[in-house]
């Protein structure tokens, strides 16, 4: 069952989300596993400009997304939704708010990399208007796999 889009709360990622975000990322082989120091930089606004959002459903954290913005280019770096809540429109809502925030931050293009085997994420990105833009051979480890590069213009 898809929840009413209005029931999904999107908000900025805070310091007290870091432990939860790291646990969700650790549980999924598709998401990068950054150390605590990187997540602390993100929520404290240090280093590269980052857009970091958390989705809540029914008062519980349900997913997160992070993008980096450098000059007029953005990169979607990580997105994940709790498995229990897959297929309910939460990934789409996270993408919508992150794309809008990247545009507001000055980006006119956004790129991302995705494992060749990750068909769910590729379907989400295509549904959000991303197009195939190239392949990075053996880009990922554990297991070794090609990355597909995808991109779209903003807004
Ligand atoms: C990819 C991911 C974030 C999608 O989140 P989600 O909340 O399940 O996605 P949504 O319900 O918002 O789906 C939006 C669209 O994506 C597509 N989609 C999502 N999951 C899909 C699946 N398993 N099969 C086919 N299409 C899918 C559909 O086109 C869907 O369109 P619809 O809204 O018309 O149904 C989620 O599967 C996930 O967390 N995966 C593990 C982490 C991951 O792979 N991150 C990406 C790394 S590059």
């Amino acid at each position: 069952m898809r929840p009413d889009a209005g029931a999904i709360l999107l908000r900025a990622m805070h310091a007290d989300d870091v432990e939860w975000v790291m646990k969700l990322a650790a549980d999924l082989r598709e998401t990068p596993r950054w150390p605590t120091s990187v997540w602390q930089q993100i929520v404290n606004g240090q280093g590269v400009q980052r857009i970091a959002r958390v989705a809540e459903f029914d008062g519980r954290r349900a997913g997160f997304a992070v993008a980096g913005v450098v000059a007029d280019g953005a990169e979607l770096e990580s997105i994940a939704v709790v498995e229990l809540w897959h297929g309910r429109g939460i990934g789409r809502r996270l993408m919508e708010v992150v794309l809008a925030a990247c545009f507001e931050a000055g980006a006119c293009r956004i790129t991302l990399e995705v494992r060749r085997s990750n068909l769910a994420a590729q379907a989400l990105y295509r549904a959000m208007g991303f197009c195939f833009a190239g392949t990075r051979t053996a880009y990922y480890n554990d297991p070794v796999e090609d990355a597909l590069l995808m991109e779209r213009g903003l807004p």
Side-chain angles (χ1 to χ4, degrees):
M1 187 178 64
R2 182 172 288 256
D4 182 330
I8 302 169
L9 172 74
L10 282 304
R11 61 168 176 79
M13 188 183 291
H14 306 308
D16 62 3
D17 295 314
V18 166
E19 190 180 340
W20 178 86
V21 165
M22 288 183 69
K23 174 154 187 352
L24 178 55
D27 286 347
L28 299 167
R29 108 187 152 97
E30 300 91 344
T31 50
R33 291 178 178 88
W34 294 330
T36 312
S37 57
V38 171
W39 286 109
Q40 283 170 344
Q41 280 185 355
I42 291 171
V43 295
N44 291 328
Q46 298 161 334
V48 172
Q49 185 180 8
R50 292 294 207 331
I51 310 291
R53 297 289 182 269
V54 167
E56 290 184 6
F57 180 69
D58 206 14
R60 286 179 296 173
R61 297 178 182 99
F64 72 87
V66 179
V69 180
V70 177
D72 63 355
E75 180 180 3
L76 182 75
E77 297 178 294
S78 192
I79 181 168
V81 172
V82 172
E83 198 166 356
L84 177 69
W85 295 105
H86 282 184
R88 313 213 176 198
I90 295 169
R92 179 186 285 275
R93 291 289 296 120
L94 278 164
M95 290 292 294
E96 286 170 354
V97 295
V98 167
L99 295 182
C102 287
F103 179 65
E104 280 168 25
C108 62
R109 295 208 68 71
I110 181 163
T111 60
L112 60 84
E113 285 113 11
V114 56
R115 281 185 182 269
R116 190 184 283 285
S117 63
N118 192 348
L119 301 181
Q122 289 167 39
L124 169 65
Y125 302 145
R126 278 196 306 275
M128 297 303 302
F130 282 80
C131 295
F132 174 71
T135 304
R136 298 194 197 282
T137 305
Y139 180 80
Y140 293 106
N141 292 311
D142 193 24
V144 173
E145 188 175 358
D146 295 349
L148 304 185
L149 181 63
M150 301 182 79
E151 66 178 15
R152 60 160 277 180
L154 295 173

